[in-house]
Amino acid sequence: MRYQLKPLGDQAVIVSFGNTIDPETHRFIKTFTAHLHEHPFPGLIECVPAFTTVTVYYDPGLWIQENDSRLPYDHVCETVETILTALPEQEETAARFVEIPVCYGGELGPDLEFVAQHNGLSSDEVIRIHCEGRYLVYMIGFSPGFPYLGGLSEKIAAPRRSSPRLVIPAGSVGIAGQQTGIYPIATPGGWQLIGRTPLSLFRPNMEEPSLLQAGDIIRFCQISEDEFKFWMD
Amino acid sequence: MSLTILRPGLLTTVQDLGRYGYQRIGVMVSGAMDSFAHRMANLLVGNEQGEATLEITLIGPVIRFEKDALIAICGADFSPSMEGIPVPTWRPVWVRKGSILKFSPSEVGARAYLAIAGGYAIDPVMNSRSTFLRAGIGGFQGRALKAGDVLNFRSSSNWFDSGVQNDLPFTYSAWRISKNLLPLYRKNPTIRVMEGGEYEWFTREAQANFFSAPFTVSSQSDRMGYRLTGPKMAVHEQRELISEAVTMGTVQISSDGNPIVLMADRATTGGYPKLAHIATVDLPLLAQVRPGEQLWFYKITLQEAQRLWIRREREIQQLIQGINFYLRLDKTRHSQ
């Protein structure tokens, strides 16, 4: 896969794989990220996968040698290129499948009606279409555990709210344009809220603090208000 | 062994060098805004550089020490005092139990760091003691300090009876970090920057203005980022940037054309074009700029930024050796 390297400040490099958001680019990014995770090179701090890029954070201190005219950035780029050249293109890694139970509509999803009306559908049809989809977690960003999902049906797309809500409760499931997502922690936001999940997406005291990882496939399934309350207890 | 927060100040939080390793799941790094002052405060009391300190912002807290302690205050000079006697900064200070530390407004700078020998006894969350305010995790109960909070600190092998006289609240070392070795803390500083990834998206005029005009740090500036006002940064054409990672010091241009410099509590990813990046060596200077002050940007290359960083880190290594030498010397003298 073709790539480009460019600095992000003086302690990180962005490895960029073109300009299109698609599953193939994503698969390669996933392979590359997994490789860096399993075989970290000296000086690697962490790497952050996104839609079309992987950003590699490094400690320039580990690359300083006496009488070396080359800079830490040059060394890191060389290391990254060596890794990329040797990386198998087609390595298929099994995606984790995660089901997200959602209680749709009512107080937990105050904008479900709006999304239905906007698309000339009934609320039940919106729920059915939302649950039928299989969504790929392209990346986690914006806030801890927040998944950027691909795969929302055009039939239930809806514009953002004209004025954002000051607080969106944790677990809220929303739609904005062609995207659907879940708010892991209470934040302000402008998405249309169609329901809420009782699952914690961000669990700071657990070994794996984020329920979701880039590369996961998720599916939403409908639960009743009683089930929601049961889960929350 | 503890200290009590009698008044919290404007925003006093527990910070260390940041929560690394979790940006891929959207967890911001946080950590001390002025990492230089934070590191020095720790080193001056014999701690590891990454121990937690208290980050004090603009209006300092009032703190009572319930036990004898060895502390250091670095960063902006908030004229700290005990019983009306000025407490010197950038050097180790032995505090007598019961003493009350106060701060005044600073002339220059926005943030100071209070380190204590042994470190604050706070459990790390995800490998860091930094406070992540928005998620309410880390630091002291995931929040800024409030009046009445009691922070424990651990005992330290560096602690020794400094012989504080009974009628004095504190005593201090005869040596300090030379002012020559500090970053050039000052009002309205010039900050060195590199071109950002989307530099070419901006018009010639915007590029030229960025490096020649002053920018004012707006009042909506905080640990997350500094919003700047000045000449608008226009792009050739409106383009969508696919969200990707951003870092501390990233200068992104929001849709209204105003720059935002991302700071310690930045989100992990962003979708605004990146016009520039602050050189890491100058981040401490930026961390000390207060709302209302002006900034100038001076363009350097990535090569220069990395060389400056290497030189700074070598100086810090020498400083560490010096500090350790004098700390040992003080200890030997007092145990005789």
Side-chain angles (χ1 to χ4, degrees):
Chain A
M1 179 147 274
R2 292 168 69 87
Y3 61 88
Q4 233 190 329
L5 300 173
K6 59 181 179 185
L8 176 75
D10 51 29
Q11 312 211 340
V13 52
I14 299 181
V15 190
S16 157
F17 304 95
N19 278 315
T20 46
I21 301 173
D22 57 46
E24 193 201 347
T25 307
H26 171 78
R27 248 195 320 275
F28 192 78
I29 284 174
K30 196 176 158 188
T31 311
F32 179 44
T33 311
H35 180 92
L36 289 177
H37 218 77
E38 282 153 30
H39 312 281
F41 59 82
L44 174 71
I45 294 174
E46 60 183 313
C47 58
V48 181
F51 285 113
T52 58
T53 58
V54 176
T55 301
V56 176
Y57 291 85
Y58 60 90
D59 173 4
L62 287 180
W63 299 89
I64 302 168
Q65 282 153 20
E66 289 296 324
N67 306 319
D68 186 355
S69 62
R70 297 200 320 152
L71 287 161
Y73 179 75
D74 304 321
H75 286 285
V76 171
C77 285
E78 192 185 275
T79 307
V80 165
E81 291 191 34
T82 310
I83 293 169
L84 284 168
T85 313
L87 210 60
E89 290 243 352
Q90 296 301 327
E91 192 175 313
E92 191 71 46
T93 46
R96 286 196 318 168
F97 183 73
V98 184
E99 247 185 343
I100 309 280
V102 178
C103 179
Y104 288 94
E107 274 176 36
L108 302 176
D111 303 324
L112 179 64
E113 277 298 313
F114 172 84
V115 174
Q117 274 170 22
H118 180 81
N119 290 290
L121 300 167
S122 70
S123 295
D124 283 346
E125 284 171 311
V126 172
I127 295 169
R128 182 177 56 76
I129 294 168
H130 197 251
C131 290
E132 271 172 9
R134 296 291 175 275
Y135 305 90
L136 172 61
V137 180
Y138 273 102
M139 60 182 272
I140 308 275
F142 170 64
S143 75
F146 184 95
Y148 284 82
L149 301 174
L152 182 73
S153 165
E154 282 173 29
K155 291 180 205 154
I156 56 171
R160 281 163 195 271
R161 288 170 58 88
S162 46
S163 61
R165 287 187 172 89
L166 290 178
V167 181
I168 288 186
S172 295
V173 176
I175 287 177
Q178 279 274 72
Q179 289 193 82
T180 183
I182 313 158
Y183 285 86
I185 60 173
T187 47
W191 292 34
Q192 306 285 354
L193 306 183
I194 59 169
R196 203 183 299 171
T197 177
L199 295 185
S200 296
L201 270 77
F202 179 56
R203 313 152 304 175
N205 293 317
M206 287 177 71
E207 166 111 23
E208 188 36 81
S210 178
L211 177 72
L212 301 173
Q213 308 284 326
D216 290 349
I217 301 285
I218 74 169
R219 187 183 92 103
F220 296 101
C221 59
Q222 188 179 12
I223 57 169
S224 68
E225 222 175 309
D226 284 347
E227 285 173 291
F228 179 85
K229 284 179 187 148
F230 174 79
W231 277 78
M232 289 297 280
D233 275 344
Chain B
M1 303 214 294
S2 64
L3 52 83
T4 306
I5 305 295
L6 301 181
R7 276 164 47 188
L10 185 66
L11 177 72
T12 305
T13 58
V14 175
Q15 299 294 343
D16 59 16
L17 287 174
R19 183 170 284 110
Y20 285 94
Y22 298 96
Q23 290 194 81
R24 70 190 161 80
I25 54 164
V27 176
M28 60 173 70
V29 174
S30 309
M33 290 276 276
D34 179 348
S35 60
F36 179 86
H38 165 93
R39 291 164 75 186
M40 290 304 130
N42 272 326
L43 292 167
L44 286 167
V45 296
N47 289 349
E48 294 290 322
Q49 306 178 40
E51 256 315 326
T53 64
L54 294 189
E55 183 178 270
I56 291 157
T57 318
L58 292 170
I59 299 169
V62 178
I63 296 172
R64 185 175 62 220
F65 293 87
E66 311 296 358
K67 205 66 177 156
D68 289 353
L70 169 58
I71 65 165
I73 303 166
C74 295
D77 189 353
F78 289 95
S79 313
S81 66
M82 291 181 191
E83 293 175 22
I85 308 166
V87 177
T89 54
W90 300 98
R91 70 173 98 199
V93 175
W94 286 265
V95 181
R96 191 159 53 82
K97 169 185 164 182
S99 301
I100 293 174
L101 174 65
K102 291 179 178 169
F103 295 87
S104 302
S106 71
E107 288 287 314
V108 179
R111 294 174 173 86
Y113 296 83
L114 172 62
I116 196 155
Y120 298 96
I122 281 169
D123 289 334
V125 176
M126 299 163 77
N127 304 330
S128 166
R129 295 185 172 86
S130 285
T131 315
F132 177 1
L133 288 170
R134 217 176 70 186
I137 63 163
F140 187 82
Q141 299 176 7
R143 60 168 171 80
L145 297 180
K146 292 198 290 213
D149 286 345
V150 176
L151 273 76
N152 294 317
F153 52 92
R154 296 183 293 261
S155 62
S156 163
S157 58
N158 282 294
W159 165 254
F160 54 89
D161 185 354
S162 59
V164 184
Q165 288 171 15
N166 278 339
D167 52 346
L168 285 174
F170 66 90
T171 185
Y172 52 88
S173 65
W175 51 277
R176 53 160 289 159
I177 296 181
S178 161
K179 288 210 163 112
N180 293 328
L181 296 170
L182 304 185
L184 282 170
Y185 291 124
R186 62 205 186 277
K187 277 187 182 175
N188 310 320
T190 298
I191 304 284
R192 289 169 289 195
V193 294
M194 299 155 271
E195 287 179 11
E198 287 71 55
Y199 183 74
E200 297 301 332
W201 289 23
F202 293 88
T203 61
R204 276 278 168 81
E205 195 193 356
Q207 294 173 350
N209 281 340
F210 187 72
F211 296 111
S212 57
F215 287 87
T216 305
V217 177
S218 93
S219 56
Q220 285 144 22
S221 297
D222 53 20
R223 283 182 46 87
M224 207 183 272
Y226 284 12
R227 287 170 186 276
L228 308 182
T229 53
K232 299 273 192 237
M233 297 290 113
V235 287
H236 292 297
E237 49 173 329
Q238 282 299 331
R239 285 163 72 180
E240 281 283 311
L241 179 71
I242 300 171
S243 282
E244 63 185 21
V246 290
T247 191
M248 187 162 173
T250 296
V251 182
Q252 59 181 28
I253 306 299
S254 56
S255 29
D256 60 8
N258 286 324
I260 300 173
V261 187
L262 301 178
M263 299 299 281
D265 282 353
R266 67 206 174 268
T268 53
T269 57
Y272 290 120
K274 299 176 283 294
L275 174 64
H277 287 282
I278 313 289
T280 300
V281 279
D282 281 352
L283 285 172
L285 293 183
L286 192 60
Q288 295 294 357
V289 172
R290 298 192 290 192
E293 284 184 39
Q294 287 192 321
L295 292 177
W296 275 263
F297 293 113
Y298 181 77
K299 186 165 152 182
I300 61 171
T301 62
L302 169 67
Q303 285 72 21
E304 288 170 292
Q306 291 206 318
R307 289 211 181 93
L308 288 167
W309 185 88
I310 291 168
R311 200 178 308 150
R312 165 63 54 80
E313 288 303 311
R314 288 202 173 126
E315 285 169 9
I316 291 176
Q317 289 312 314
Q318 287 170 358
L319 252 172
I320 293 172
Q321 287 175 14
I323 290 169
N324 289 340
F325 173 78
Y326 282 108
L327 270 181
R328 273 200 306 275
L329 201 64
D330 278 357
K331 194 170 183 175
T332 318
R333 274 188 195 147
H334 283 281
S335 49
Q336 275 165 1

